[in-house]
Amino acid sequence: RPNPARFLQNCRAPGGFMSNRFVETNLFLEEIQIKEPAEKQKFFQELSKSLDSFPEDFCRHKVLPQLLTAFEFGNAGAVVLTPLFKVGKSLRAEE
């Protein structure tokens, strides 16, 4: 019987099916509360480069709330503004 933990580990290994920027971003956003401030800074700096390749709904409904929370309550600082404005450009006028 396959071990689920080993399966996920193999899929996330370099060259694996789940070894891509989209999956890594999603996992980081899920675990953002337990990340170190330096890790958050690096993540937000690299995030704006990847946003163009992500689905628009993912950016609007998953990334944007996390960016707003990080800017309002976290200690991420101004590094959050670049990806925040990039996602904000895709919003409709009523949003």
Side-chain angles (χ1 to χ4, degrees):
R1 186 170 155 181
N3 182 345
R6 191 173 323 144
F7 173 76
L8 290 174
Q9 183 180 16
N10 290 340
C11 286
R12 291 191 62 209
F17 177 72
M18 293 173 28
S19 176
N20 59 55
R21 186 71 181 148
F22 181 74
V23 173
E24 297 299 325
T25 300
N26 203 7
L27 289 172
F28 192 92
L29 289 173
E30 289 294 323
E31 302 169 345
I32 198 164
Q33 291 82 14
I34 60 172
K35 299 292 184 179
E36 295 292 324
E39 290 176 301
K40 291 179 188 181
Q41 290 282 334
K42 183 179 177 196
F43 172 75
F44 289 129
Q45 287 174 344
E46 296 172 358
L47 180 62
S48 59
K49 298 178 217 168
S50 305
L51 286 175
D52 293 330
S53 64
F54 295 161
E56 198 171 290
D57 287 336
F58 174 77
C59 291
R60 211 178 305 144
H61 300 293
K62 181 73 173 181
V63 176
L64 183 60
Q66 291 292 341
L67 290 172
L68 290 172
T69 302
F71 183 69
E72 188 173 353
F73 299 112
N75 55 356
V79 74
V80 175
L81 292 177
T82 304
L84 184 66
F85 290 144
K86 197 167 196 175
V87 173
K89 287 191 313 187
S90 68
L91 296 175
R92 294 182 298 265
E94 59 270 3
E95 289 179 321

